[in-house]
Amino acid sequence: MIQPSASTVSYAIPKLYLLTNDDEFSLLYQKLEAALATGLIALLQIRRKQILALSDGASVLYKEALQIVDLAKTYNVPVVINDNIALAAKLGVGVHLGQQDGDVSEATQSLAPNQIVGRTCHGDVTLVKAAKNEGANYAAMGAIFASNTKPNADIISRQQLIEGCQQGIKICVIGGLTAENISELAGLPITYIAVVGDIMDLAVHQIATRCQQWQQVLNKWNIPVA
């Protein structure tokens, strides 16, 4: 467990970075609309692993992504596609790349300069440095806690996270994060907090309230912990 510590340095409040889940699309769309309408989502990732596993998964994902991107534009929320540079370029959005899912340099060359490129870096500061040098906009570190999405992911230490935050690139944290446990990271210079289940596993009518609960916690980010 990563414990908080007192700090006299104030940083910008982290922003919510929402990832899609594998809900049936009409339900997913309703949930996304409920979350985006709060104005509290700063970045949206389209990640549909179960859809991609279908025989016609690529074409289904493209049709879904078109609708999600249009929805996000309504609320002025930037979008990244998970692990697919070509699809990101086709849709005119950004991309998030795993370590085995494409080169950051290829992404920056293929996408418009204003599009966001993220890189999975786990708990490895060397990978964070590489992401920065290759031109990524942010490095994702985690897992912070175990999660239903990736129950077997390695948990990183607080020291690994602190070192990652010192590399001069925006840091995104991911892995089992909830509005109840995120305060354990309070005060760290984190840019994005990636959330899936803590928001997307709720019923549509509960999502706006949960987003507000997240914001209430984040508003206290720089209050020193005794």
Side-chain angles (χ1 to χ4, degrees), residues 32-53:
L32 291 178
E33 188 163 30
L36 296 177
T38 65
L40 301 176
I41 305 301
L43 184 60
L44 175 64
Q45 182 182 142
I46 300 174
R47 183 179 184 274
R48 299 281 278 166
K49 296 287 190 179
Q50 291 183 15
I51 291 297
L52 279 175

Side-chain angles (χ1 to χ4, degrees), residues 123-196:
D124 192 333
V125 177
T126 301
L127 295 180
V128 176
K129 292 178 180 178
K132 178 190 176 183
N133 293 337
E134 292 164 9
N137 299 101
Y138 71 84
M141 298 190 72
I144 306 300
F145 302 101
S147 71
N148 292 331
T149 305
K150 293 188 177 182
N152 297 318
D154 292 333
I155 306 301
I156 71 170
S157 69
R158 182 181 182 86
Q159 188 57 38
Q160 286 172 304
L161 182 55
I162 289 172
E163 290 179 12
C165 290
Q166 295 171 342
Q167 303 311 313
I169 183 173
K170 293 177 179 177
I171 295 296
C172 166
V173 289
I174 190 168
L177 297 167
T178 71
E180 286 72 37
N181 65 27
I182 191 60
S183 60
E184 296 193 25
L185 306 184
L188 293 178
I190 294 163
T191 300
Y192 295 118
I193 296 172
V195 181
V196 190

Side-chain angles (χ1 to χ4, degrees), residues 89-100:
K90 189 174 182 180
L91 291 165
V93 300
V95 69
H96 178 90
L97 298 172
Q99 283 294 318
Q100 309 300 323

